[in-house]
Amino acid sequence: LKITDLEKIYRTEDIETVALNKLSLEVKTGEFVAIMGPSGCGKSTLLNIIGMLDDAEKGSFMFNGEEIIHFNERRRADLRKRNIGFVFQSFNLIDELTVYENVELPLLYLGVDATERKQRVEAVLEKVQIMHRRNHFPQQLSGGQQQRCAVARAVVNNPKLILADEPTGNLDSTNGNEVMQLLTELNEAGTTVVMVTHSEHDARFAHRIIRLLDGKVVMENILG
Ligand code: ADP
Ligand code: ADP
């Protein structure tokens, strides 16, 4: 990812809010980066733009060597489905679907055939250790199990990039550490991870911390 002088302004009636103010940052393939900063500094806006859920006004956003800032919704959705997995604070599982069905969903959207879907869903459920809960519904699982299911859904299509927004925000420290360990393993297997967090503890799992203030990068810490 290479983002240069990115600008995002929200306009509501007569008020303009500058959410990203000529923000620049680069994330290399295989990196694990944490984004931190006070409430309102632009973290969610940035993650939504990186995740191709929202677009920016001005600036450049290179993804895999391609300028995507002016891609239309359809091309962004296509790139998103193939390359990006999302993990949210509130898990965002579908309550009416079982664990297995939740994890299978991205593959259905991609048109993967039934035999391959079964192999891939089972492999990833084993990896996050909730295979024994495959036929349960999200509400029957603990918070940690729900987030592991959400991580499984995020990675079942082998994305190049995982975007995690406060992935441990609703978890106790034991379950939180398990989810951070899982993200670390996925990163070590080659997936790039960009995580927004308020937790200095979680940020230490990353290679680098990018700190934002008022829609700009104000500091970077390299961990090692
Ligand atoms: P953070 O995730 O760091 O809390 P956000 O990216 O949510 O920050 O917000 C950055 C700024 O943009 C804030 O001032 C926020 O109030 C504003 N903002 C975010 N979303 C909207 C929106 N949909 N409409 C108007 N203003 C918004
Ligand atoms: P935690 O202490 O991690 O929040 P819970 O107390 O919610 O966990 O759950 C403890 C165990 O009981 C977990 O393995 C969870 O999956 C299981 N469990 C909780 N509620 C239900 C339910 N309604 N049906 C089946 N299993 C459940």
Side-chain angles (χ1 to χ4, degrees):
L1 303 175
K2 188 167 161 54
I3 285 171
T4 313
D5 291 337
L6 204 64
E7 281 184 52
K8 175 73 183 181
I9 299 170
Y10 291 107
R11 293 191 175 81
T12 42
E13 289 158 24
D14 53 347
I15 304 167
E16 284 195 355
T17 308
V18 179
L20 300 180
N21 184 8
K22 299 196 177 188
L23 180 143
S24 299
L25 63 81
E26 197 168 345
V27 178
K28 297 236 154 59
T29 302
E31 253 196 306
F32 186 164
V33 171
I35 296 175
M36 301 192 77
S39 182
C41 71
K43 303 182 296 296
S44 303
T45 301
L46 177 62
L47 213 64
N48 285 342
I49 293 173
I50 294 176
M52 302 174 203
L53 298 166
D54 197 1
D55 54 5
E57 318 250 305
K58 279 192 208 159
S60 161
F61 175 15
M62 304 286 291
F63 183 84
N64 266 338
E66 197 169 22
E67 176 60 77
I68 69 148
I69 197 90
H70 297 304
F71 270 26
N72 62 23
E73 176 54 36
R74 192 196 162 97
R75 290 182 77 188
R76 279 192 281 139
D78 189 58
L79 214 51
R80 179 168 70 233
K81 275 187 280 183
R82 283 169 205 288
N83 294 290
I84 304 179
F86 294 88
V87 179
F88 304 95
Q89 176 171 4
S90 51
F91 320 134
N92 290 16
L93 297 169
I94 298 174
D95 288 338
E96 293 73 22
L97 298 182
T98 63
V99 163
Y100 186 97
E101 291 164 344
N102 266 282
V103 174
E104 186 183 30
L105 211 52
L107 300 181
L108 280 170
Y109 286 141
L110 283 172
V112 175
D113 71 59
T115 314
E116 191 182 340
R117 283 204 307 273
K118 184 166 186 294
Q119 276 172 2
R120 282 165 69 172
V121 173
E122 289 182 358
V124 76
L125 289 178
E126 293 283 2
K127 184 172 178 61
V128 304
Q129 298 178 5
I130 48 165
M131 190 60 177
H132 61 301
R133 295 306 195 108
R134 52 182 289 167
N135 294 323
H136 283 117
F137 292 91
Q139 297 309 319
Q140 296 174 306
L141 270 52
S142 72
Q145 289 166 336
Q146 288 184 55
Q147 193 62 304
R148 296 213 305 274
C149 177
V151 171
R153 180 188 55 185
V155 301
V156 73
N157 61 341
N158 295 316
K160 294 186 179 68
L161 175 64
I162 296 173
L163 298 179
D165 194 354
E166 298 268 2
T168 70
N170 280 325
L171 301 178
D172 61 30
S173 62
T174 308
N175 282 307
N177 278 327
E178 270 177 31
V179 166
M180 290 311 303
Q181 200 54 51
L182 204 50
L183 291 176
T184 301
E185 283 167 25
L186 293 164
N187 173 249
E188 284 168 353
T191 313
T192 307
V193 180
V194 176
M195 171 182 74
V196 164
T197 184
H198 283 292
S199 159
E200 292 285 345
H201 171 82
D202 289 357
R204 301 204 69 81
F205 285 84
H207 302 140
R208 185 153 62 97
I209 305 177
I210 297 176
R211 295 181 195 271
L212 305 188
L213 190 65
D214 297 336
K216 270 182 184 312
V217 174
V218 289
M219 203 202 298
E220 295 198 31
N221 310 104
I222 307 210
L223 308 170

